[in-house]
Amino acid sequence: MAVSELVADLVVANRILFDQAVLDGFGHVSVRSADDPQRFLLARSMAAGLVGAEDIMEFDLEGAPVDARGRAVFLERFIHSEIYRARPEVQAVVHSHSPNLVPFGVTPAALRPLYHMTGFLGDGVPVFEIRKVAGEETNLLITDGRLGKALAETLGPRPAALMRGHGSVAVGGSLKQVVYRAIYMELNARLQSEAMRLGPVTYLTPGEAREGAAVNDRMLERPWELWKRQAMRNA
Amino acid sequence: MAVSELVADLVVANRILFDQAVLDGFGHVSVRSADDPQRFLLARSMAAGLVGAEDIMEFDLEGAPVDARGRAVFLERFIHSEIYRARPEVQAVVHSHSPNLVPFGVTPAALRPLYHMTGFLGDGVPVFEIRKVAGEETNLLITDGRLGKALAETLGPRPAALMRGHGSVAVGGSLKQVVYRAIYMELNARLQSEAMRLGPVTYLTPGEAREGAAVNDRMLERPWELWKRQAMRNA
Amino acid sequence: MAVSELVADLVVANRILFDQAVLDGFGHVSVRSADDPQRFLLARSMAAGLVGAEDIMEFDLEGAPVDARGRAVFLERFIHSEIYRARPEVQAVVHSHSPNLVPFGVTPAALRPLYHMTGFLGDGVPVFEIRKVAGEETNLLITDGRLGKALAETLGPRPAALMRGHGSVAVGGSLKQVVYRAIYMELNARLQSEAMRLGPVTYLTPGEAREGAAVNDRMLERPWELWKRQAMRNA
Amino acid sequence: MAVSELVADLVVANRILFDQAVLDGFGHVSVRSADDPQRFLLARSMAAGLVGAEDIMEFDLEGAPVDARGRAVFLERFIHSEIYRARPEVQAVVHSHSPNLVPFGVTPAALRPLYHMTGFLGDGVPVFEIRKVAGEETNLLITDGRLGKALAETLGPRPAALMRGHGSVAVGGSLKQVVYRAIYMELNARLQSEAMRLGPVTYLTPGEAREGAAVNDRMLERPWELWKRQAMRNA
C-alpha cells in the first residue's frame, strides 16, 4: 500500500473513531509506515474529528517527528512508538478515553468477551497501573519512552489494554482491524456492565473467543465501509 | 404482492433496522418470495444501512443462492432458510446483535413483556445455546443447515429467540411485523433491565400479552411509515 | 386564541414531543377547543412526528369525531375525552409510552420530584391499574368511556398518572405546560432511577415542589421556543 | 481581549454547552468583562441554544443590568454576580441542570475524579443545601444576592459545586476552561455512577488530580475548536 493511500485511510480512521464516539477532543490513532517499519504516521496534536491529510506527520520509534515544521505533537506519541517497537507485527494503534471502558480500568471488574464480536478479547485485557512504574503523583499520561515501554510490557502480546484512571489502547494488524477492535471493545464494556447487573454472565470459552475472532477478522471491510460513509457524511 | 414491491420493502426494512440501531455493520433481514414459498430474498453480504434494490438476492431453502453472479453471501443465511422451512407461515426474519438483547442471552434473566407493545413475547423467549449442538469451540455463527435447524427447533412456534453469546432472531407474518417486533423487543429489554433494578416487576398476564399483541398487529402501518420516512431522510 | 392558532400549536406540540422522544409511532397530544369547551382537537390516527394541520380533527366529550370524513381515529381518544370531562380547567393532554416512565409503572417504586424542574409532581403520581376495573385479560388500552373515566378517577386533581404495563398521561392548563410536563417527568424518571442506585435520595419537600412548580410555570415560553426550533429543523 | 471578542466567545460557549447537552432550555454561562472587572456579560433570559451576540447584556456585581432596554433577565443572575465578587480570579461561570450531576446532588455519593480529564475535581465537590440558609419552602433558585453569597461560600476556592435538588455550578479562569469543566464533570458523573456499580473505585490521588488538571489546562484550545465546529454546524 502506498503511503498516500495509508494517509487517506488514517484520515478516515480518525473520522470514524470520532463519529463512533471512541475519540472526542482527545485520543489518537496511528499506522505504521508502508515504506519503513521503523516509522509511523500520526496526526499533529488536534481533535481526531477535524484531521485532514495535511495534518498527518511521520514519527520514528523514539517518538520524534521526522519533519515537524513547527507543528505541535501529541504528548503521548510514546504509546505508539513503544508499541511499534515491541510488537513488529502491529500495524496500527488506537489510544482513547472511550467512556464505557474507563470504569473497567478503575475497578476490579475484568473486561471479558460476552459475544462473538469481541472474541479478540479472549486472552484477557490487562490493566496498566502507572503508579507501579512512576509513583502516585503523575499526570497519568504516557509522556516518554520509559512509560511507553512499561505500557507495552503490560499489553504484552494482546490486542488491548486498559489504563487505570486514563483510558485504553488497542492494536491491530491493520487500520481496519484496530478500528473494529476499538469500537467493539467499547460496546462490549457497555453490554458487560448491563449483563453483570442481570445475573451471572456466561462468557465465551477460549475456543469460542478464538473462533469468533477468526471469523470476524475476515469481515473487516463490511463495517469499515459503513462507518466511513457515515463519518464522511457527518463531517 | 409483486416481487418488485417486496424487494422495495426489503430495502426499506434494511434501512429502518439500521436507522433504529437494531442492525449495525452486521445482521440481516429477509422476506419469503411472493412467487415461490420455497425461496426467500436477502441482501448480499453487506451492511444493512447501505443496501439497495440491486443488492437483493434470491435463495432456496438449502440456503443456496439461485443466481449468485459472484456476489458474496452471508455466512448465516441458514438462519433464514431453516426457519422458512420449519415455519410455513413465517414471511420475514430478522437476525441482529441489537445491544440490549445480548445481555439477556448471556444471563439467566428471562426476557418478558412488560407492556402492551411487546405482548408478542408472552409465550416466553427461549435462548439458543449452540454448545448443546456443536460443542464449546464454535465461532457461534449459524453457518450450515444443521445449526439453522437446531436454532429453528429452539425457536419453535414463537416469534423470537435469543442466541447465547451472539444476538437474537425475530420472525413475523410480514416485513412490517418483523421490523416492529425487532425494534420493540430491543426496547423491552432496555426497559426491563431498568425495571428489574427498581423492584419486583409486574409483567403482562398471558391474556394481556395475547390481547396486546392482537391490537398492535392491526397498527403496523403507523410506525412503519414513520420509520421509513426517518430512515430515508437519514440515508 | 383562535382555533387556527390552536391547530398550529397542536402541530408544533406533536412535532416537539416526537423530537424529544416522548412520543414515537404511538401516543398522542390534544388540546381543548377554544370555541367550545365540550370539544377538543386531536390528530387522526397517525405518528405524531408526521402530523400536519390538515390531520387535526375535532372530537366531543364522548370521544366521537365531529366530522370524521373517513379518517381513522385513535382507539384511545377516551383518555382525552374523559379527562376533559372530569377536569374543566385542563386545556391539554398528552398520552405516551415514554421509555423512562414505563419502569415506574410496573414496579412499586414511586415517581417523585428530585429537582425544581419537576415540582409539579409534588402531590405524587398515581398508577392506574386497569386490572382493577377490567380484569386480567385486557389489551391494556383505554378503548371506551368507562375505562377513560376510571383513568380520570385515578388521575384525580393531579397533573400526571402512570398506567401499569402501558405508559403515562400528563395534563396541563395549556399545550406549553403539558409539553413541559411530559418532557420533564420523563427526565425525572431517568434521573431518579440513577439517584436511587447511588443511595438514599433527598426529594423535594411539599413546599419546594409547590414553589418550584410556580416559578417554572412562568417560564414555559423559553423551552417551547427552543424545542419548536429544533423539532421544525429536524422535521 | 476586546469586549467584542468576548461577546463572540460567549455566544460560542452558549452554543457549545447546548450542543453538548450541558444546558437545555435552562441554565446559563457568563464571562467577566474585559473592560471592567466589576461587570460581567450574560445573555438575556432565553435558551442558550438560541443566543446570538445581540442577546448579550452587561451586569454589575449587584446583579443589576447596566442597560436593560426592556430585556428580561435571568432570575438567577446572582449566581454569577456573587461568585465574581467573591472570587476575583474567576473569569467565567456556568450554571446548569446537566442530567448526570443532579443525582450526585441529591444523594450522599460524593463526586470524585476517576480519570485525568477531571483532575480539577481533586479538592472535592461541595453540595450547596439551600435549606440551611433559606428553609424548606424555597423554589430552590438563587434569586437574590444573599443566596448567591451563600452559594459562593459553599463553593469556596473550588472549581465546582453541586446544588441539591437543582443542578451545579462550575467556574474557570476563562470561557474555554469553564466550558471544559462543565462538560467533563458531567461525563465524570456518568462514568463514576457506572464504575460504582462495577466495584470499589480507584480514584485519582491528590497528586494525580493536581498534575492531571495542570496538563489538561494547557490543552483547552483543542476540544474548544472541535465543539465550536460541531455546535455551529448543528445550529
Side-chain angles (χ1 to χ4, degrees), chain D residues 12-27:
Chain D
V12 171
N14 271 278
R15 300 302 189 92
I16 287 174
L17 291 169
F18 169 66
D19 194 56
Q20 295 292 319
V22 169
L23 302 180
D24 59 3
F26 298 89

Side-chain angles (χ1 to χ4, degrees), chain A residues 9-28:
Chain A
D9 275 1
L10 183 55
V11 170
V12 170
N14 272 277
R15 300 303 188 90
I16 287 174
L17 290 169
F18 169 66
D19 194 55
Q20 295 292 320
V22 169
L23 301 180
D24 59 2
F26 299 89
H28 17 85

Side-chain angles (χ1 to χ4, degrees), chain B residues 114-117 180 184 187 190-192 194-212 215-216 218-220 222-223 225-227 229-230 233, chain C residues 18 24-28 45-47 49-50 74-75 97 99-100 102-104 106-109 129-131 135-141 164-166 193-194 196-197 234-235:
Chain B
L114 85 171
Y115 68 161
H116 66 303
M117 301 300 287
Y180 173 94
Y184 280 106
L187 187 51
R190 178 181 143 206
L191 301 189
Q192 186 181 340
E194 192 67 33
M196 288 168 74
R197 292 196 281 266
L198 288 179
V201 181
T202 300
Y203 295 101
L204 299 194
T205 63
E208 288 172 339
R210 185 186 64 240
E211 297 302 317
V215 75
N216 275 294
R218 298 201 303 269
M219 297 191 209
L220 300 171
R222 199 201 297 173
E225 286 309 310
L226 178 72
W227 292 326
R229 212 272 309 246
Q230 288 183 274
R233 190 193 53 192
Chain C
F18 169 65
D24 59 3
F26 299 89
H28 16 86
S45 177
M46 66 182 295
L50 303 177
F74 285 118
L75 290 179
H97 313 149
N100 291 294
V102 171
F104 281 90
V106 298
T107 58
E129 174 49 275
I130 197 170
R131 289 179 193 166
E136 304 214 343
E137 303 226 345
T138 72
N139 62 14
L140 295 120
L141 301 185
R164 195 271 313 159
H166 183 168
S193 292
E194 192 67 33
M196 288 169 73
R197 292 196 280 267
N234 294 342

Side-chain angles (χ1 to χ4, degrees), chain B residues 12 14 55 69 79 87 94 106 110 142 172 192 196 206 216:
Chain B
V12 171
N14 272 277
D55 300 308
R69 280 181 275 143
I79 294 173
R87 298 273 299 272
V94 171
V106 298
I142 305 299
Q192 186 181 340
M196 288 168 74
N216 275 294

Side-chain angles (χ1 to χ4, degrees), chain A residues 5 7-20 176 179 183 220-235, chain B residues 18 25 47 50:
Chain A
E5 274 182 84
V7 167
D9 275 1
L10 183 55
V11 170
V12 170
N14 272 277
R15 300 303 188 90
I16 287 174
L17 290 169
F18 169 66
D19 194 55
Q20 295 292 320
K176 284 168 188 167
V179 163
I183 290 172
L220 300 172
E221 289 291 333
R222 198 201 297 172
W224 174 272
E225 286 309 311
L226 178 72
W227 292 327
K228 178 179 175 178
R229 213 273 309 247
Q230 289 183 273
M232 293 320 195
R233 189 193 53 192
N234 294 340
Chain B
F18 169 66
L50 303 177

